[in-house]
Amino acid sequence: MLKTKIADIRKEVLQWKKEGLSVGLVPTMGALHQGHLSLIKQSLKKCDRTVVSVFVNPIQFGPAEDLDKYPRTLEADLELCKNAGVDIVFAPSQNEMYENTPHPNPPPQGGREQSRLSNDFFTYVIPPFFYTDKLCGKSRPGHFDGVCTVVMKLFNIVQPDYAFFGQKDAQQLVIIRKMVQDLNIPIEIVSCPIVRDENGLALSSRNQYLSEEGRKQALVLNKILTNIRACYNKGIQDVKALGETAFAFLNEHHELEYLEFVDKNTLENKTKADDDTLVLIAVKTDNVRLIDNCFMK
Ligand code: PAF
């Protein structure tokens, strides 16, 4: 079930397509948990064949981010996928993904200052600034360029009919939908709800870095979101009023990166909440960056 070469996965998928089978892709960076499993289950339900990609994408990490520390657990990931009934796990090397077509004489600096690629002579997919200069994009410049580039490559390699993404990475999901629409990519994007542990903490590969105390503190994110939604449902629409207590609390107890109210499709900031509003939070707790979000309705 494991494939590491682009040519091999292409061959397999081509055969499926000849047989008229539908193909689902679940793109991941590995360290799979129940959240990923829920995406996999959706794909298995909807598609005849399911491919899970496992690739820690270097170009979506900033120079000061946790690329080297990012958990890599391929054996366990393969086991989880096998038990779930996944058809193929595509786990290419960095070389296979990015360095198989080097320029014979690349310019010394390449196109992008912060790239982590050794042959920085590479075509990137750059989503519109309007979608990327806010929320997570503010503190992670270039992150969504890296995400869109790798997702586009995975789409071209696997050529699935459906691709499954978690609502937990809400900004990523909106940006990928925009890319698919703008570039006429013939793939249906399926979003899957956030999976939470029994205490309400949104599952994330980074949760494993949290201490016991950090885990307790992290629970406040979901509590705040639930509370904001409850206030909205009681009739409060003014975003300042909805966010006031949460801002004060988060600023005092956490390293708050953002708490924002945006349109769920366009990411435009809202001053008055409505049913299309998405509330997003990012904090650093216990030195771990955590994000969470919820819809008003
Ligand atoms: O959400 C993720 O795990 C990654 O950003 C993705 C979509 C697999 C691209 O590397």
Side-chain angles (χ1 to χ4, degrees), residues 151-167:
V151 169
M152 186 69 184
K153 281 170 73 67
L154 290 167
F155 284 177
N156 285 331
I157 292 165
V158 178
Q159 299 190 21
D161 302 288
Y162 300 90
F164 297 79
F165 293 90
Q167 177 57 36

Side-chain angles (χ1 to χ4, degrees), residues 223-268:
K223 285 194 184 131
I224 282 175
L225 290 170
T226 311
N227 189 39
I228 288 175
R229 192 172 41 202
C231 290
Y232 172 74
N233 285 325
K234 277 187 196 148
I236 304 175
Q237 281 187 284
D238 179 51
V239 155
K240 265 202 190 124
L242 284 170
E244 218 164 42
T245 326
F247 265 121
F249 181 85
L250 287 169
N251 269 322
E252 193 176 330
H253 297 278
H254 295 262
E255 211 178 301
L256 174 63
E257 195 179 300
Y258 62 75
L259 165 63
E260 293 203 36
F261 295 73
V262 302
D263 182 273
K264 67 178 183 191
N265 300 310
T266 64
L267 302 182
E268 271 170 294

Side-chain angles (χ1 to χ4, degrees), residues 3 6 23-24 54 101 112 123:
K3 301 258 181 263
I6 293 169
V23 179
V54 173
T101 54
R112 296 181 63 77
T123 306

Side-chain angles (χ1 to χ4, degrees), residues 160-203:
D161 302 288
Y162 300 90
F164 297 79
F165 293 90
Q167 177 57 36
K168 161 118 187 319
D169 295 305
Q171 187 177 13
Q172 166 172 287
L173 187 54
V174 170
I175 290 173
I176 287 170
R177 281 194 192 287
K178 174 85 177 134
M179 173 180 86
V180 163
Q181 187 186 19
D182 289 352
L183 301 183
N184 307 96
I185 303 170
I187 294 172
E188 191 178 314
I189 303 300
V190 183
S191 71
C192 307
I194 296 177
V195 179
R196 300 181 181 280
D197 73 7
E198 63 283 6
N199 299 313
L201 177 64
L203 298 191

